[in-house]
Amino acid sequence: MIPGVILAAGTSSRMGRAKTLLPTGVDGQTFLSRLVATLWAGGVDDVVVVTSSLSGEVECVLEGMSLSSRLVKNPHPERGQLSSSISALTAIDRPGVTGMLVALVDIPLVSPGTVRRVLEVFRARGGPIVRPTSGAKHGHPVVFGRAVFDDLRNADEAAGAKSVIRANEAVVVNVPIDDPGAFTDIDTPEDYARFIGPWLFGEPTR
């Protein structure tokens, strides 16, 4: 069993608005709702969304979707992205779970085909870490196998999950992917205008 986890507990300070609720410009989808649909379509066995303790609007969005997902609150989002991964592990780590697929709400345009492909490779190779690549670029989502769950729990929060990937570099499985969305990080209004369309909300808060 491999749950899909969406990390969405950041403050979105550079965007000026909560990225989870931004529209993708397609069929009323938000960044979050698109990712939930993408993970299910890609073949995960469960979807968990990690957000901050101030998550009322996000909870309403999830409740309004036809696709199921679980909301997990990170009580200490100020500690960085790794703290959200650890919150997710607390929720998903149980017998039968062989890995955890981690997606970022900042990277909402990844395709279901990419999710499907990294899961296929992980299931065939057994991990311990599988990630999409394009040339020298590394993208998301990343699958972390059970063998590195404790490494994630014990990693330096300041260094984040990247330190776990670096420590296991020799056995990381890189999967060549032809999907620009897997490598498109949308962090600012300028990124939004470039990859989604015109900024829709007036002048963002800086």
Side-chain angles (χ1 to χ4, degrees):
M1 182 174 182
I2 305 173
V5 171
I6 301 170
L7 304 186
T11 62
S12 301
S13 59
R14 286 186 286 172
M15 184 65 77
R17 295 177 63 93
K19 280 180 277 190
T20 51
L21 305 177
L22 287 176
T24 65
V26 178
D27 298 331
Q29 289 180 329
T30 64
F31 281 24
L32 180 57
S33 65
R34 176 176 173 132
L35 272 173
V36 170
T38 295
L39 295 195
W40 277 122
V44 299
D45 299 300
D46 186 15
V47 173
V48 171
V49 178
V50 183
T51 187
S52 70
S53 57
L54 303 174
S55 57
E57 289 181 283
V58 171
E59 195 164 1
C60 288
V61 168
L62 295 176
E63 288 175 351
M65 293 188 67
S66 59
L67 296 168
S68 64
S69 58
R70 292 190 285 152
L71 183 66
V72 171
K73 295 182 180 180
N74 177 357
H76 301 291
E78 72 281 357
R79 294 180 179 175
Q81 201 173 82
L82 182 62
S83 66
S84 290
S85 295
I86 293 170
S87 294
L89 275 177
T90 301
I92 64 98
D93 190 6
R94 59 186 185 273
V97 171
T98 58
M100 175 176 72
L101 179 140
V102 177
L104 307 182
V105 77
D106 317 65
I107 304 180
L109 304 182
V110 60
S111 72
T114 293
V115 176
R116 191 175 304 114
R117 180 60 181 150
V118 295
L119 287 174
E120 287 173 351
V121 172
F122 177 82
R123 288 171 174 141
R125 300 281 295 271
I129 300 171
V130 176
R131 63 184 177 185
T133 59
S134 177
K137 294 187 294 185
H138 305 134
H140 279 81
V142 177
V143 186
F144 294 94
R146 172 172 289 283
V148 297
F149 281 4
D150 283 342
D151 293 346
L152 288 169
R153 292 187 179 100
N154 297 323
D156 180 357
E157 287 183 342
K162 289 182 179 178
S163 65
V164 176
I165 294 174
R166 284 194 298 269
N168 291 276
E169 193 73 43
V171 289
V172 170
V173 181
N174 293 313
V175 183
I177 292 290
D178 183 15
D179 173 17
F183 310 94
T184 300
D185 196 343
I186 302 176
D187 276 332
T188 67
E190 293 75 20
D191 294 336
Y192 187 95
R194 179 182 175 191
F195 296 112
I196 304 291
W199 184 252
L200 304 176
F201 313 101
E203 187 63 25
T205 303
R206 295 291 187 181

